[in-house]
Amino acid sequence: MGQPVDERMRALGVLESELEEIFARSGGPGGQNVNKVSTAVMLRHLPSGLRVTVQDSRSQALNRRLARERLLDAIEQRRRDERAAELSRREKIRRQRSPRPRALKKRILEGKRRRSKLKKLRTSVDD
C-alpha cells in the first residue's frame, strides 16, 4: 500500500464518479463524538457492486480514506481471482486436448488386456 489512493484509483481505472458514499453514525468507543457525528463510511463501487464499510476511526476523513483503500484492495483481489480462474480454465482445456503420451497409452492398454484375461478365466465351463 505504498501508493497514494489517487494513483491506485487511476491505475485501476476507478473513477470518483463510480463511487457511492454513505455516511452513518458509528458504534463502539469514541464517546460523544461517535454518538453525534456520522463518522462511519460505507463506500460502494457501482460497476462491480463491491461494498466496504469502515468505522475504525473517530474521524470521518480518515474513515473515508481507509474505505477507499479497502475498496481498491477488494477490486484488485477480485481482478487477481478472475485472472487466476481464466488461466486455470485455459490450462484445463489445454490438458484435455493434449494427447496421451505413447508410453502411457501402451501401459493403459496392457492393463486392460490383463483385466480382460482375468475376467475370461471366471467364465463357467460348459460340458
Side-chain angles (χ1 to χ4, degrees):
M1 284 217 253
Q3 291 180 309
V5 175
D6 294 339
E7 285 180 28
R8 286 181 68 199
M9 285 178 67
R10 254 191 311 280
L12 288 171
V14 176
L15 303 174
E16 193 67 39
S17 60
E18 297 174 338
L19 302 178
E20 178 186 39
E21 219 171 18
I22 299 169
F23 302 102
R25 290 204 184 116
S26 294
Q32 186 177 12
N33 188 63
V34 296
N35 295 330
K36 292 182 79 172
V37 182
S38 297
T39 55
V41 177
M42 189 185 82
L43 193 60
R44 188 165 68 127
H45 184 237
L46 298 173
S48 67
L50 288 173
R51 180 184 306 223
V52 294
T53 302
V54 178
Q55 58 180 19
D56 296 2
S57 167
R58 290 177 50 177
S59 162
Q60 187 185 76
L62 182 57
N63 283 339
R64 288 181 75 199
R65 187 175 60 76
L66 288 172
R68 278 171 172 67
E69 287 176 359
R70 290 183 189 167
L71 184 68
L72 293 173
D73 290 342
I75 291 170
E76 286 175 339
Q77 185 61 46
R78 178 180 274 186
R79 289 184 183 173
R80 274 194 300 271
D81 292 346
E82 287 171 355
R83 223 175 292 127
E86 177 63 21
L87 288 173
S88 174
R89 187 187 66 78
R90 283 185 193 164
E91 185 62 23
K92 182 178 179 180
I93 290 170
R94 186 192 67 75
R95 281 193 312 270
Q96 288 173 342
R97 289 183 179 165
S98 67
R100 283 190 172 134
R102 190 174 293 146
L104 175 62
K105 191 170 181 179
K106 195 174 180 180
R107 218 170 38 242
I108 290 171
L109 290 175
E110 184 54 42
K112 286 185 175 195
R113 280 190 207 99
R114 272 197 308 267
R115 185 82 178 140
S116 172
K117 285 179 186 176
L118 180 69
K119 284 188 162 197
K120 282 179 183 170
L121 290 173
R122 293 183 194 159
T123 59
S124 61
V125 179
D126 292 327
D127 290 24

